[in-house]
Amino acid sequence: MGDAAMPPLPEQPKEQPKEQPKERPPGTYMIWAMEAIGATMAFLYYLHLHTDLLKPAVKERLNPEKYTPFTLIDKQPLTSDTTRFRFRINRPRFDDDLEELVDGITAQGIWSMDVKDHLVQTYRTYTPVAIAISEAVDEELGSREGYIDFVVKRYPHGSLSRFLHETRVGDQVEMRGPLLTWPYHPKQYKHLYMVAGGTGIAPMYQLITRILRDPADSTTRISLLYGSRSESDIIYRESLDKLAQDHGDRLSITYLVDRGPAASVQIAIPDFSTVGKFTRDFNKGGSDLVLVCGPDPMLAAVCGSKPIGAGQGPLRGILHELGFSSAQVFKF
Ligand SMILES: Cc1cc2nc3c(=O)[nH]c(=O)nc-3n(C[C@H](O)[C@H](O)[C@H](O)COP(=O)(O)OP(=O)(O)OC[C@H]3O[C@@H](n4cnc5c(N)ncnc54)[C@H](O)[C@@H]3O)c2cc1C
């Protein structure tokens, strides 16, 4: 083989000098760690400020779907057999679905709560006379505290009313609600005529305070005929008088008592004469309504009994005799 000219060898790439891994400046990992901690802290602070995810679940919240225990925080006797019970309620500082559900029900009208005797598993319905929630937020619990008040008469053989009267401050009682008792919206009626007896004042009181506080309901007028056994049995007299004084053009109250002494009230019962006089300006062709709530004998005499469960039953009694129709009367 003759010497053939060898093709030139391809030029070998020159070996690059290997880059030495750069040394991080001292403290880099520490800085990264600090930054990560800072970001986490900022995120947690954001969650703390804008959500309740880091808080324990708020207890003693109103819930219409399940019985919840509430703590009795105050108990004030109002008359010989009637007591005002105040229970603590809480509300998370940020509204969630449950708050919306609760607000949606209370916005619809007069509402009540089912109160349970957990010992014998029976319940009765009571209409709160007041509910309040503080503006102040408990930062630790992420909630706002408030209360709900009931005025309850004790019946000597009553099951739930005796159970409630036997509870002591600090005890817990299970309740479910709010539950809509009577739908009402502002300006639905021009003039409401309320006939109440004893603790039958509860739904009337809730409605009166609701109407008088609501700027959207500023034209509705209310007349209350309120019967009690004696002057010292008139429940919430001071508050009612104050409301009548502050809203003299819209709320007028006539107190009746079965027996004297009676310094500033009439000794009479809600009979044909007193109810007739009370409702004489009722506009039967307009949008006025009579509301009645009280003990069974009073209901029977004024408008006919209300059957147990749903329904109003036929209109009977004094209001029927006075020419009212069923549509012009609501029995609580
Ligand atoms: C929507 C609604 C709201 C109510 N709100 C209130 C309220 O705010 N405050 C309040 O005190 N009550 C209220 N009641 C009545 C309450 O629910 C109970 O019926 C009442 O407390 C008696 O229950 P009890 O278990 O103690 O008596 P029960 O064991 O049911 O009855 C025992 C005895 O008491 C008598 N009795 C029961 N209720 C009455 C009555 N109204 N009048 C006369 N005798 C009676 C019975 O005839 C029986 O002899 C409300 C009822 C309804 C439907």
Side-chain angles (χ1 to χ4, degrees), residues 112 124-127 151-153 155 157-162 181 199 202 294-297:
S112 305
R124 298 285 184 273
T125 309
Y126 295 93
T127 306
V151 165
V152 178
K153 175 173 173 177
Y155 295 96
H157 304 291
S159 161
L160 218 300
S161 62
R162 269 193 314 148
T181 302
T199 47
D296 283 345

Side-chain angles (χ1 to χ4, degrees), residues 7-276:
L9 285 169
E11 209 173 286
Q12 291 296 317
K14 277 191 193 140
E15 204 168 283
Q16 297 289 329
K18 270 201 182 140
E19 217 175 82
Q20 292 299 315
K22 276 192 194 137
E23 286 252 316
R24 303 208 187 280
T28 300
Y29 292 112
M30 181 64 88
I31 290 168
W32 284 358
M34 298 291 281
E35 279 174 359
I37 290 168
T40 308
M41 298 289 280
F43 181 60
L44 291 177
Y45 188 58
Y46 174 86
L47 291 181
H48 164 74
L49 280 185
H50 300 285
T51 75
D52 282 334
L53 293 173
L54 305 176
K55 303 275 187 275
V58 177
K59 293 186 175 141
E60 303 186 305
R61 295 175 64 182
L62 294 183
N63 190 335
E65 285 168 354
K66 69 168 193 175
Y67 279 100
T68 306
F70 294 90
T71 307
L72 181 68
I73 53 173
D74 191 40
K75 196 176 168 184
Q76 292 289 334
L78 300 179
T79 72
S80 55
D81 58 12
T82 301
T83 303
R84 192 212 67 195
F85 296 89
R86 175 165 289 181
F87 290 90
R88 180 172 53 229
I89 56 170
N90 293 309
R91 189 175 169 120
R93 60 183 170 155
F94 300 115
D95 287 350
D96 59 14
D97 291 352
L98 184 53
E99 251 46 54
E100 277 170 27
L101 179 65
V102 164
D103 290 351
I105 294 169
T106 57
Q108 284 175 51
I110 297 302
W111 55 278
S112 305
M113 301 281 292
D114 285 346
V115 179
K116 189 162 90 173
D117 174 352
H118 60 272
L119 302 172
V120 290
Q121 296 292 316
T122 51
Y123 77 89
R124 298 285 184 273
T125 309
Y126 295 93
T127 306
V129 283
I131 182 167
I133 295 280
S134 152
E135 287 297 316
V137 173
D138 181 323
E139 290 295 335
E140 205 156 300
L141 298 173
S143 61
R144 295 187 286 140
E145 194 175 307
Y147 62 81
I148 187 167
D149 284 351
F150 298 90
V151 165
V152 178
K153 175 173 173 177
R154 178 189 180 122
Y155 295 96
H157 304 291
S159 161
L160 218 300
S161 62
R162 269 193 314 148
F163 162 78
L164 262 183
H165 277 81
E166 277 156 24
T167 55
R168 286 174 298 186
V169 169
D171 288 351
Q172 289 202 315
V173 175
E174 289 181 42
M175 292 183 218
R176 180 178 60 184
L179 307 163
L180 188 65
T181 302
W182 184 61
Y184 172 81
H185 59 80
K187 297 190 180 158
Q188 189 172 350
Y189 302 100
K190 275 209 172 86
H191 196 148
L192 289 166
Y193 292 78
M194 303 176 170
V195 183
T199 47
I201 194 65
M204 308 303 189
Y205 192 83
Q206 194 192 102
L207 185 56
I208 291 169
T209 49
R210 177 192 191 102
I211 290 173
L212 296 179
R213 276 191 203 131
D214 186 354
D217 210 356
S218 58
T219 55
T220 306
R221 291 186 56 210
I222 305 162
S223 297
L224 170 66
L225 183 70
Y226 182 21
S228 305
R229 282 170 308 195
S230 70
E231 205 169 355
S232 61
D233 286 309
I234 301 174
I235 298 162
Y236 276 24
R237 168 100 190 247
E238 241 175 76
S239 313
L240 286 166
D241 285 346
K242 173 91 174 63
L243 288 168
Q245 199 184 324
D246 294 348
H247 303 273
D249 53 333
R250 296 177 58 209
L251 171 64
S252 69
I253 305 177
T254 308
Y255 296 107
L256 304 179
V257 294
D258 299 352
R259 55 174 189 270
S264 56
V265 296
Q266 281 182 57
I267 302 179
I269 55 164
D271 57 12
F272 191 85
S273 155
T274 51
V275 175

